[in-house]
Amino acid sequence: MSFEHPDGDQIDLSAVLHALSDPQRRGIVAELAASEQPRPCGSYAPNITKSTRTHHFRVLRDAGLIEQWKEGTLKMSRLRRDDIDARFPGLLDSVLGSGVPVRS
Amino acid sequence: MSFEHPDGDQIDLSAVLHALSDPQRRGIVAELAASEQPRPCGSYAPNITKSTRTHHFRVLRDAGLIEQWKEGTLKMSRLRRDDIDARFPGLLDSVLGSGVPVRS
DNA sequence: AGGATGATACGACGATCATCGAACTTTGTG
DNA sequence: CACAAAGTTCGATGATCGTCGTATCATCCT
């Protein structure tokens, strides 16, 4: 099913840091971290094109930061906080600033 | 004087994450974090060319991760752990794995 | 003054990146 | 069935990246 989600124990730090180094993607991750229930891809980063959004979501998924699945027409996403926290403890919290707004 | 070290409070998260996303640079940062007293640039990452090394050190300095100064012919480097920790608490520790060897 | 050494500057190279638009696929609904 | 909506795929473009070699600069030592 779904796509190519890396196993939790083989998430690559370089890939994660690269994925998070883009402000647009970091914004998506921040929204993902803040939203209670899953929302479709299209509801994030409305300022960019559909194809660019698809690209960013793929980078995040390939890096192991998010999990994605389809629900009808929609594609839903979920932050793999557990896996990331297990592999790189504290990383996500420090990047997301412990809930503080994302800057730069 | 010296070069272009960003002020501690204007260190850019994107730049920091991008700088740390390269394994070679992460290796340098890990060595920097582990070494007691400052060593010249040339003593890090001996497997790459001088010019490449200069490039990596500039990326790290521009990102605000390290401070550099000259001592005669040598150029010394120091990890700006205090500034980074103040701006992004926990980030460096989680990336460096709390002293655990750098992987990926 | 003349070497020797540590580091930078300057292209240059292939690779990757973020972004876009247009065409296409998939799914649900009238 | 036909249409609309959500995503993907497929170039393409301009920018940036990591790496290199060579030339150059700065500093120390003899």
Side-chain angles (χ1 to χ4, degrees):
Chain A
M1 52 240 65
S2 38
F3 319 84
E4 319 154 11
H5 298 88
D7 288 356
D9 57 340
Q10 60 188 25
I11 294 179
D12 182 48
L13 181 53
S14 294
V16 168
L17 293 176
H18 167 246
L20 291 174
S21 76
D22 184 272
Q24 213 85 48
R25 282 192 293 262
R26 215 161 50 238
I28 294 177
V29 169
E31 278 194 85
L32 242 3
S35 57
E36 300 293 334
Q37 55 246 32
R39 283 152 46 197
C41 288
S43 69
Y44 300 92
N47 43 316
I48 56 181
T49 314
K50 282 196 301 179
S51 43
T52 303
R53 192 166 26 228
T54 297
H55 163 67
H56 284 318
F57 272 96
R58 192 160 56 83
V59 172
L60 290 172
R61 170 161 41 84
D62 288 349
L65 278 163
I66 65 172
E67 184 197 340
Q68 292 192 289
W69 66 97
K70 294 190 68 174
E71 284 187 13
T73 315
L74 290 340
K75 190 151 189 183
M76 316 301 276
S77 303
R78 184 202 120 235
L79 189 60
R80 297 177 60 181
R81 184 176 265 285
D82 42 355
D83 289 331
I84 301 292
D85 283 350
R87 187 114 169 83
F88 309 113
L91 180 74
L92 221 41
D93 282 336
S94 65
V95 167
L96 295 180
S98 314
V100 186
V102 195
R103 31 192 170 181
S104 88
Chain B
M1 41 229 67
S2 37
F3 320 84
E4 319 154 10
H5 298 88
D7 288 355
D9 57 341
Q10 60 187 24
I11 293 179
D12 183 48
L13 181 54
S14 294
V16 168
L17 293 176
H18 166 246
L20 291 174
S21 75
D22 183 272
Q24 212 84 50
R25 282 191 293 261
R26 217 161 49 237
I28 293 177
V29 169
E31 278 195 84
L32 243 1
S35 56
E36 300 294 332
Q37 55 246 31
R39 283 153 47 197
C41 286
S43 69
Y44 300 91
N47 44 317
I48 56 179
T49 315
K50 283 196 302 180
S51 43
T52 303
R53 190 163 31 225
T54 297
H55 164 67
H56 283 319
F57 271 96
R58 191 161 55 83
V59 172
L60 290 172
R61 169 163 40 84
D62 288 349
L65 277 163
I66 66 173
E67 183 198 341
Q68 293 191 289
W69 67 96
K70 294 189 69 175
E71 284 188 13
T73 315
L74 291 340
K75 190 151 189 184
M76 316 300 276
S77 302
R78 185 201 118 237
L79 189 60
R80 297 177 59 181
R81 186 176 263 287
D82 42 355
D83 289 332
I84 301 292
D85 283 351
R87 187 115 170 82
F88 309 113
L91 180 75
L92 222 41
D93 282 336
S94 65
V95 168
L96 296 180
S98 314
V100 187
V102 196
R103 31 192 169 185
S104 91

